[in-house]
Each structure stands twice: as structure tokens, then as C-alpha cells.
Amino acid sequence: MVAPEVIKAAQSGDRDALITLLREIENHVYRTAYYILNNEQDAMDAAQEALIRIYTKINSYEEKAQFKTWVQRIVTNLCIDKFRRAKPTVSIEQHDLSFTDHKTVEDEVMSTYIAQDIRDAIDKLPEHHRSVVVLRYLQDFSYNEIAESLDLPINTVKSYLFRARQQLQAILREYKKPSGDAVRG
């Protein structure tokens, strides 16, 4: 993620280092916010708020935790607060389909539907389950990193992931059920 010397320079007041640090993490911060909130505008707001908080709190970062984990905790907490204040809305996005030689149009369309089904299913999870799923499967965090980011015992993280997978399977099974002659879309 960010080189330790850049973090130290930012903490010592080096403005260029701080700008470099924020630029290096901004995409990661936005992606996390988007995966949790599932709404582009809310994610942009949360990411901006998180970057401002990181900017103002950089001196409170201690090397006890990885910088990535510290940033993740800030973003996740802001998203959870935002989620609590207002129920998220499901956004319908325009998807640019890029076709490759080995995939048919039908394959691309089905992939888009499957990806949207998974996003919708994740969005239906309770917030504590959604957070661990996003961190584990979309941000590729280890169990320890998730536990540290969310300030949870590791067994709670494992339990939340187990329950979230069960819930996702049930939700996705519902999507698979045929609904008469209706055409999907």
C-alpha cells in the first residue's frame, strides 16, 4: 500500500508526502466505501470524508497496526455510520459490456446479471455481516486484518463470515428460482 517512509514524512508535516499518501489510498478508500454502501454518490461522500479524516488524524496513527488496517477501520466506521443514518438505495448502473473473442453476448449479459445479483445479495445482509464479507472477499483482508479493522475478536469475524455465507446462499437461491415465464431483466 503506502511506503512507511511516506507515512512518517506525512506525520512529520511534509505536505507533499501527505498528498502522495492520500493519492495512493484514494482508490482503495472509494472501493471499500462503494462495496459497503453500494451507491456511487454515498461512496464518493464517504470516501471524501474518510480522506479528510485521515488527513486530519494522520498523527494519531501508531505503528501497532498496519496502515492499511488503520485506514480500513476509518472507512468502514464512516460507512457504517452513513448506513445507519439513511437506508442505502439500490442503484441501477449502466454497464459497459466489453466483449472478448471467447465470450458470447449471452455470456457477457449473464455475467453482468450474476454480478448484480451478488451485489444485491450482499446489500441485503445485515451491516455487520456485509462489512466482513466486503473486507474478506472484495478487499482480500485476512481474518486478523478484519478483526483488527472492525475491532472484533477473530472468532466473531469467523462466525459473521459463516453466517453471511449462509445468508448469501439463501438469497442467491431465491434469485435462481424460476418465476414462471417471466424474462429476467
Side-chain angles (χ1 to χ4, degrees):
M1 195 169 192
V2 179
E5 55 272 5
V6 173
I7 297 167
K8 285 191 184 307
Q11 287 181 311
S12 68
D14 182 338
R15 183 176 162 84
D16 291 335
L18 185 56
I19 290 169
T20 299
L21 179 141
L22 293 172
R23 283 193 178 133
E24 285 188 37
I25 64 172
E26 69 183 332
N27 286 334
H28 171 75
V29 167
Y30 171 77
R31 267 194 326 272
T32 299
Y34 183 79
Y35 287 136
I36 292 173
L37 298 170
N38 197 26
N39 178 290
E40 186 176 347
Q41 191 59 48
D42 288 346
M44 287 171 42
D45 291 346
Q48 183 177 21
E49 199 173 326
L51 289 170
I52 290 169
R53 187 159 299 167
I54 292 162
Y55 174 85
T56 59
K57 303 279 187 190
I58 190 68
N59 288 327
S60 69
Y61 168 68
E62 298 174 2
E63 291 183 28
K64 289 186 243 176
Q66 289 184 10
F67 184 71
K68 172 175 116 172
T69 305
W70 183 76
V71 167
Q72 194 65 47
R73 179 179 283 179
I74 291 171
V75 176
T76 304
N77 288 342
L78 280 168
C79 289
I80 288 171
D81 289 346
K82 192 172 222 16
F83 181 76
R84 284 180 182 148
R85 284 193 300 262
K87 277 277 192 195
T89 58
V90 176
S91 64
I92 299 173
E93 303 168 3
Q94 295 292 329
H95 292 285
D96 293 328
L97 298 179
S98 57
F99 300 104
T100 58
D101 293 335
H102 63 281
K103 283 193 172 185
T104 66
V105 172
E106 291 83 11
D107 289 340
E108 290 291 340
V109 170
M110 286 312 295
S111 292
T112 301
Y113 278 129
I114 291 167
Q116 186 60 48
D117 286 350
I118 292 170
R119 277 195 297 272
D120 290 346
I122 290 171
D123 195 40
K124 290 180 180 178
L125 294 174
E127 68 184 57
H128 55 283
H129 289 169
R130 183 177 332 122
S131 296
V132 295
V133 166
V134 166
L135 294 177
R136 179 71 183 130
Y137 297 110
L138 302 176
Q139 295 295 332
D140 203 30
F141 271 44
S142 70
Y143 291 144
N144 288 332
E145 290 171 327
I146 295 168
E148 199 172 315
S149 290
L150 299 177
D151 198 24
L152 295 170
I154 195 157
N155 285 334
T156 302
V157 169
K158 290 177 182 178
S159 173
Y160 283 179
L161 279 169
F162 177 78
R163 289 187 189 122
R165 283 190 298 264
Q166 288 179 321
Q167 290 171 329
L168 285 171
Q169 286 175 346
I171 293 167
L172 292 171
R173 248 185 253 118
E174 287 298 314
Y175 288 157
K176 281 183 151 183
K177 285 185 181 176
S179 55
D181 293 328
V183 175
R184 180 167 184 108

